[in-house]
Amino acid sequence: MSFLFGNRSSKTFKPKKNIPEGSHQYELLKHAEATLGSGNLRMAVMLPEGEDLNEWVAVNTVDFFNQINMLYGTITDFCTEDSCPVMSAGPKYEYHWADGTNIKKPIKCSAPKYIDYLMTWVQDQLDDETLFPSKIGVPFPKNFMSVAKTILKRLFRVYAHIYHQHFDSVMQLQEEAHLNTSFKHFIFFVQEFNLIDRKELAPLQELIEKLTTKDR
């Protein structure tokens, strides 16, 4: 399933992934939103008592996908084949796309193309009921955590690209508080459950230290 940049004015880059109302995962999402409202992000990311870790990671992964989808959606006008001919996060980090199925050998492509591949791939994983079961009592697969880690590792690259290449545009749009809060939440979450290797976070290491030291 591929989505090209149809309506530039729409706020999300891809269709939002909804968690079905009335489901246990929906209740967990509401819990996450309520704790986030308290302003204590360290507390907000912790596994609620008695809950399943896989389910908590699944709900939050969907939420981060939706957040990044919206954040990237606000700057698609500035992230073009011309402005971003490679997918990078500053001069030292360049990403090439491969998904292991359709594209096995990593390809060099523009940032908008890479992010389209990436978000389409993530959406396909989230829509796969065998990977992200939404029905109560359906177990998560044994490889769930490794799939979730790959998704989060790749979503991080979108944050890294936005910060390195488009932060001026974000500030022009007065979205920086939104971006910083979203990224801080994301980092606290992946740190809490050790979901992304430290070396993968290197492009934003200074920012991560700045955002997280205040809350130790």
Side-chain angles (χ1 to χ4, degrees):
M1 161 180 14
S2 178
F3 303 83
L4 293 168
F5 318 147
N7 179 4
R8 289 276 183 167
S9 64
S10 70
K11 273 295 178 210
T12 62
F13 175 60
K14 301 273 175 207
K16 187 170 185 266
K17 171 74 182 166
N18 289 314
I19 289 175
E21 264 189 69
S23 67
H24 184 60
Q25 291 187 8
Y26 186 77
E27 296 306 313
L28 273 181
L29 182 65
K30 290 284 148 220
H31 170 88
E33 284 168 2
T35 20
L36 273 175
S38 73
N40 185 338
L41 285 173
R42 280 269 178 240
M43 291 284 291
V45 297
M46 289 176 180
L47 179 66
E49 202 175 331
E51 293 297 347
D52 175 60
L53 178 60
N54 285 342
E55 198 157 33
W56 183 238
V57 169
V59 165
N60 281 276
T61 301
V62 169
D63 190 36
F64 289 128
F65 168 77
N66 286 332
Q67 286 184 42
I68 292 167
N69 199 1
M70 207 158 70
L71 287 162
Y72 184 69
T74 63
I75 57 115
T76 48
D77 284 346
F78 309 102
C79 186
T80 64
E81 300 281 328
D82 293 334
S83 68
C84 303
V86 295
M87 173 63 178
S88 61
K92 283 201 284 190
Y93 300 95
E94 190 177 302
Y95 300 111
H96 295 178
W97 178 254
D99 59 16
T101 354
N102 299 323
I103 300 170
K104 293 194 165 107
K105 195 175 172 215
I107 56 167
K108 186 171 178 168
C109 54
S110 68
K113 190 84 186 138
Y114 184 101
I115 292 169
D116 191 39
Y117 279 137
L118 187 157
M119 297 300 268
T120 301
W121 176 83
V122 172
Q123 195 159 42
D124 287 347
Q125 311 309 301
L126 300 181
D127 287 341
D128 184 342
E129 278 288 326
T130 64
L131 279 177
F132 279 78
S134 59
K135 295 177 179 67
I136 290 182
V138 177
F140 283 84
K142 289 193 169 61
N143 67 333
F144 170 75
M145 209 50 91
S146 73
V147 172
K149 284 178 177 182
T150 304
I151 291 172
L152 293 165
K153 175 181 78 177
R154 289 177 172 173
L155 288 176
F156 167 80
R157 294 170 183 177
V158 184
Y159 281 120
H161 180 72
I162 294 172
Y163 271 111
H164 276 284
Q165 314 303 136
H166 300 293
F167 196 65
D168 287 351
S169 305
V170 170
M171 285 173 70
Q172 258 178 313
L173 296 163
Q174 299 182 315
E175 287 283 341
E176 69 268 29
H178 182 188
L179 174 64
N180 287 340
T181 305
S182 171
F183 182 61
K184 190 173 177 180
H185 178 203
F186 178 88
I187 284 302
F188 279 13
F189 189 81
V190 299
Q191 285 178 342
E192 175 73 13
F193 303 106
N194 200 17
L195 297 168
I196 302 181
D197 284 348
R198 197 180 158 86
K199 68 174 190 304
E200 286 284 343
L201 300 173
L204 293 177
Q205 198 50 50
E206 277 180 42
L207 176 68
I208 291 168
E209 280 166 19
K210 198 166 130 190
L211 288 175
T212 57
T213 43
K214 295 178 199 154
D215 294 82
R216 286 222 171 104

